[in-house]
Amino acid sequence: MKTTISQVSKHLNEEITIGAWLANKRSSGKIAFLQLRDGTGFMQGIVVKADIGEDKFQEAKALTQESSMYVTGTIVEDTRSPLGYEMQVTDFEIIHEAVDYPITPKEHGTEFLMDHRHLWLRSKRQHGVMKIRNEIIRATYEFFNENGYVKIDPPILTGSSAEGTTELFHTKYFEEDAYLSQSGQLYMEAAAMAFGKVFSFGPTFRAEKSKTRRHLIEFWMIEPEMAFMDHEDSLEVQEQYVSHVVQSVLKNCKIELEALGRDTGQLEKIQAPFPRISYDEAIQLVKEKGFDDIEWGDDFGAPHETAIAESYDKPVFITNYPAEIKAFYMKPDPARPEVVLCADLIAPEGYGEIIGGSQRIDDLELMKQRYEDHGLTGDAYNWYLQLREYGSVPHSGFGLGLERTVAWIAGVEHVRETIPFPRLLNRLYP
Ligand code: 4AD
Ligand code: MG
């Protein structure tokens, strides 16, 4: 019977066949251990000369890394492996023999591995990271579907900017100018006025020339937007959503977390509610931690965020930033208009900002004023202003960066390993 590694627990003591690649192998004179992978998981296959015969045993010993084959054998328990099972191989049939696979079990440099990303994805580590990414996406749909949100897909080609004008990828759209979307938010606001609670999930593009372990040029964002919800309501959604995602990964990705050596004790603590500190308090905290030159009105950099996160073992919301350093659409605090009703969510363990969110300006005149203040002119935003003209309501939303969230949950240092084919400042290939 043909099945997969993920299903072997249902076939204890039965003979099955899987299609697999040889990830690795070691052998002695009488026995060979094949590390098999089939995409669904990794499993050891044991080939015993006395059982399989001399010729087949020599063939097994000669198998090369990443050769593909059909392997048949009996599934037995193996308490030492994370899978809990292994295969006693009775037969195998080579489909294609791989010669000189470039990624060997020895150490390779990062640039070499990135150049071979199309092959590197086969490794146990990359497999673990991508399975965790997949689980985060699954748990995201689950959370928003269960809580009454409608998935809405904003456009990727846009005529104007959502977050600021300097970070846009420009392209021609026939005779017109177009830009790749930095954020679907403005469109999600329109959707919230039509459907109440909405979320999007799609690629976004930033042309900023950042070369840090937290920045990609192309990254995927989850952007919920909620009508009739204020800033505080939105923070509650965010902490529940992030907790749900982390707990789902803990429950459904045990093998992958173990393969990555992730300290799951840190993740078990991630349960709502999350701590909140104001921007003012955060400035104080950072000063106390030895950053003397930071002043009220400055934005936080990665070292500041890491210093703030050190004080907490859960993600922490930094709320109410100065209006000047945040986007034009954020609603000023009525009690203190120099700050806006916003929050960044900072992940623990130095992974930095994973969410940016805010309550949006719902007053038409104020929104027009903010446009002028930010030097945004022309008719491109007229449709967005009309949302404030016809039945405007308090509304809030946020954007969660998928790759930074994967990096944190999987415990991976750099976001380049958290997306299948990263687009970086110096990399558009493979
Ligand atoms: O803070 P940002 O820029 O917020 C927005 O785009 C809002 N319009 C979202 C909204 O309210 N609907 O981006 C949101 C998140 C960040 O917190 C970060 O996790 C991620 O997107 N992000 C990046 N991830 C990887 N590489 C980059 N260059 C990123 N820029 C932002
Ligand atoms: Mg941000």
Side-chain angles (χ1 to χ4, degrees):
M1 178 193 177
K2 199 149 91 180
T3 182
T4 58
I5 292 174
S6 62
Q7 300 298 310
V8 293
S9 64
K10 296 179 186 147
H11 298 284
L12 188 59
N13 300 322
E14 290 172 24
E15 190 174 77
I16 59 157
T17 298
I18 58 165
W21 294 266
L22 186 74
N24 203 353
K25 160 198 87 180
R26 61 195 170 83
S27 54
S28 68
K30 295 186 179 121
I31 190 159
F33 300 94
L34 312 181
Q35 301 308 322
L36 302 168
R37 57 166 203 90
D38 75 341
T40 74
F42 290 77
M43 179 176 71
Q44 176 161 270
I46 300 176
V47 186
V48 180
K49 183 158 102 176
D51 298 338
I52 206 162
E54 178 67 33
D55 290 354
K56 208 71 193 165
F57 184 72
Q58 290 311 328
E59 206 184 320
K61 274 187 83 166
L63 280 171
T64 53
Q65 190 187 348
E66 287 305 316
S67 287
S68 52
M69 60 194 131
Y70 289 113
V71 194
T72 301
T74 307
I75 298 303
V76 295
E77 266 180 296
D78 171 30
T79 48
R80 288 152 308 171
S81 77
L83 182 70
Y85 302 90
E86 61 186 13
M87 179 188 262
Q88 283 171 346
V89 177
T90 52
D91 196 11
F92 61 90
E93 174 200 332
I94 297 171
I95 303 169
H96 181 251
E97 194 181 331
V99 182
D100 295 336
Y101 184 68
I103 306 177
T104 58
K106 71 162 198 199
E107 289 264 316
H108 294 281
T110 304
E111 284 309 302
F112 178 86
L113 291 169
M114 292 299 291
D115 285 342
H116 293 85
R117 184 66 177 166
H118 51 295
L119 302 176
W120 191 24
L121 280 175
R122 302 179 184 193
S123 78
K124 197 176 221 170
R125 177 181 162 87
Q126 300 309 317
H127 187 265
V129 176
M130 290 308 140
K131 289 291 284 278
I132 289 170
R133 179 182 169 108
N134 180 61
E135 175 60 19
I136 294 171
I137 296 167
R138 192 204 62 76
T140 294
Y141 278 83
E142 179 176 78
F143 179 85
F144 289 111
N145 283 324
E146 281 182 0
N147 286 286
Y149 288 68
V150 179
K151 168 113 192 307
I152 294 286
D153 306 312
I156 289 171
L157 285 167
T158 61
S160 54
S161 102
E163 282 297 299
T165 45
T166 54
E167 308 172 351
L168 293 166
F169 275 103
H170 174 253
T171 180
K172 284 314 272 186
Y173 191 77
F174 307 111
E175 301 308 313
E176 287 175 75
D177 289 313
Y179 306 93
L180 296 184
S181 177
Q182 299 159 298
S183 160
Q185 181 195 320
L186 308 189
Y187 297 94
M188 297 310 287
E189 288 186 53
M193 300 306 138
F195 299 93
K197 294 196 290 185
V198 293
F199 75 108
S200 68
F201 172 54
T204 44
F205 306 86
R206 302 275 164 107
E208 53 185 319
K209 295 211 160 93
S210 304
K211 205 180 168 185
T212 79
R213 66 186 186 90
R214 297 173 180 174
H215 285 89
L216 291 161
I217 304 300
E218 177 179 305
F219 69 98
W220 287 64
M221 189 151 51
I222 290 120
E223 294 189 273
E225 192 72 33
M226 299 85 71
F228 309 107
M229 282 208 192
D230 64 18
H231 176 53
E232 182 53 38
D233 297 331
S234 174
L235 296 189
E236 284 173 26
V237 175
Q238 292 172 48
E239 62 197 2
Q240 281 162 16
Y241 164 48
V242 171
S243 302
H244 177 73
V245 161
V246 173
Q247 295 309 316
S248 298
V249 172
L250 275 172
K251 187 165 150 235
N252 298 323
C253 296
K254 289 198 176 73
I255 291 176
E256 290 80 10
L257 289 165
E258 188 178 323
L260 292 162
R262 182 67 170 105
D263 175 2
T264 51
Q266 298 293 330
L267 298 177
E268 271 151 25
K269 299 176 199 156
I270 311 304
Q271 303 270 9
F274 297 163
R276 294 140 165 73
I277 59 166
S278 68
Y279 170 87
D280 301 356
E281 290 166 327
I283 287 282
Q284 259 333 100
L285 182 62
V286 168
K287 273 187 188 290
E288 281 161 26
K289 297 217 170 208
F291 296 90
D292 306 318
D293 49 349
I294 194 158
E295 294 298 337
W296 199 94
D298 292 343
D299 207 352
F300 297 117
H304 305 123
E305 286 176 359
T306 301
I308 295 164
E310 268 169 16
S311 305
Y312 304 91
D313 55 11
K314 291 185 191 185
V316 53
F317 289 112
I318 306 177
T319 67
N320 299 31
Y321 282 69
E324 264 183 43
I325 55 171
K326 286 293 181 188
F328 67 88
Y329 49 71
M330 295 188 181
K331 186 180 170 80
D333 183 347
R336 212 185 141 199
E338 71 274 20
V339 301
V340 283
L341 299 175
C342 75
D344 283 356
L345 184 64
I346 312 299
E349 303 173 74
Y351 288 95
E353 178 201 324
I354 52 170
I355 291 184
S358 66
Q359 186 164 343
R360 323 305 191 185
I361 292 174
D362 50 48
D363 179 75
L364 180 62
E365 291 312 315
L366 180 58
M367 189 56 110
K368 281 184 179 163
Q369 185 61 51
R370 299 292 282 171
Y371 269 109
E372 279 177 30
D373 297 347
H374 280 76
L376 301 167
T377 50
D379 300 336
Y381 295 91
N382 282 354
W383 67 268
Y384 184 65
L385 291 174
Q386 282 190 355
L387 304 176
R388 277 79 185 159
E389 214 176 323
Y390 305 111
S392 191
V393 298
H395 63 288
S396 303
F398 61 94
L400 173 133
L402 178 62
E403 289 76 15
R404 289 192 195 173
T405 306
V406 176
W408 163 47
I409 297 176
V412 170
E413 181 73 11
H414 198 298
V415 288
R416 67 186 163 215
E417 282 187 62
T418 64
I419 184 165
F421 295 97
R423 298 295 173 240
L424 300 161
L425 198 51
N426 58 358
R427 184 171 292 282
L428 187 58
Y429 174 90

